Amino acid sequence: MPTSSAHAPTAFFPSPETMEVLITKEQLAKRTREIGAQISTDYEGQSIVLIGVLKGAAIFLSDLARAIKVDNTFDFVAVSSYGRARVSSGAVKLIKDIDNPIEGRHVILIEDILDTGLTLNYLRGLMLQHKPASLKIATCLDKPDRRLVPIEADYVAFKIPNQFVVGYGMDYAERYRGVEDIRIFPDEAVH
Ligand code: IMP
């Protein structure tokens, strides 16, 4: 029997309990409900399309969707990720496009983190080519200090300093997405 697995926790992938909590699951639940209520007011009587950016935004989208009281449908896009690198190469590539047309629809793009802004800037341009009736952006986290392109989200759950975080959908090398709180990934664990 093998005694270790490629997916087992290692020194490079510290256990989540050892990481400092930045935002608790209770804070996340409260802010998600507040943003859901705000969106429900802003789009009252309308139908909206929620487009999540895979994979990081999946958990935020699922919580947000349950807090949104107006008629809504889901779609997802996927873009090239950082992989194990914590800094973006700057090049964003579409891996999965939307499944259904959004022309004439009210669209909210849903992201886990607005960091340099390159991803959302690229996706916003792409979505606008489909001629939606309107396009807004909702992000769970915003790191305004890191911005390389001028883009702001319409709905922001939390502004955070320039720290690398994991949990609530957000990963480091695909790990930690299922961690319930948002935690600070330690610098010394980066490789
Ligand atoms: P941007 O194009 O630099 O704005 O990158 C946004 C994407 O980078 C997010 O959707 C995340 O996938 C990733 N990202 C940025 N900061 C973090 C972080 O602190 N933890 C995990 N992923 C991050």
Side-chain angles (χ1 to χ4, degrees):
M1 285 286 283
T3 52
S4 67
S5 142
H7 300 291
T10 68
F12 290 141
F13 297 110
S15 126
E17 296 76 42
T18 63
M19 297 178 207
E20 186 188 334
V21 174
L22 183 66
I23 304 168
T24 65
K25 60 180 176 183
E26 290 79 15
Q27 289 173 301
L28 286 162
K30 181 168 178 284
R31 273 302 284 148
T32 307
R33 277 197 303 271
E34 287 169 359
I35 293 177
Q38 182 64 55
I39 290 173
S40 306
T41 305
D42 293 350
Y43 291 88
E44 198 181 345
Q46 290 174 318
S47 173
I48 58 180
V49 185
L50 307 174
I51 301 182
V53 184
L54 293 172
K55 303 167 197 163
I59 294 181
F60 181 48
L61 183 145
S62 75
D63 279 349
L64 198 57
R66 283 176 286 184
I68 292 174
K69 301 304 172 202
V70 296
D71 180 56
N72 65 79
T73 57
F74 296 179
D75 211 331
F76 292 95
V77 289
V79 291
S80 50
S81 75
Y82 291 9
R84 284 192 172 195
R86 297 198 321 168
V87 286
S88 171
S89 60
V92 185
K93 205 174 93 196
L94 192 73
I95 293 169
K96 185 214 166 295
D97 205 347
I98 47 174
D99 293 331
N100 297 304
I102 54 167
E103 186 171 346
R105 306 290 312 274
H106 295 290
V107 172
I108 305 180
L109 259 177
I110 300 185
E111 179 61 303
D112 56 353
I113 308 188
L114 177 51
D115 189 27
T116 64
L118 292 168
T119 307
L120 277 173
N121 194 46
Y122 167 78
L123 285 173
R124 181 176 61 179
L126 213 61
M127 293 303 127
L128 286 173
Q129 288 176 14
H130 292 280
K131 299 190 175 15
S134 68
L135 180 65
K136 284 191 182 180
I137 292 171
T139 188
C140 181
L141 302 182
D142 184 5
K143 293 185 194 173
D145 298 346
R146 294 251 313 154
R147 209 74 90 246
L148 292 178
V149 287
I151 184 164
E152 295 305 325
D154 302 278
Y155 305 100
V156 176
F158 296 94
K159 283 197 171 162
I160 64 164
N162 180 14
Q163 279 169 315
F164 197 86
V165 294
V166 295
Y168 199 63
M170 291 160 242
D171 74 310
Y172 173 68
E174 295 298 329
R175 264 86 169 182
Y176 310 111
R177 292 193 194 276
V179 173
E180 288 183 289
D181 307 300
I182 292 178
R183 292 177 182 254
I184 299 170
F185 191 75
D187 277 343
E188 60 272 20
V190 177
H191 58 292

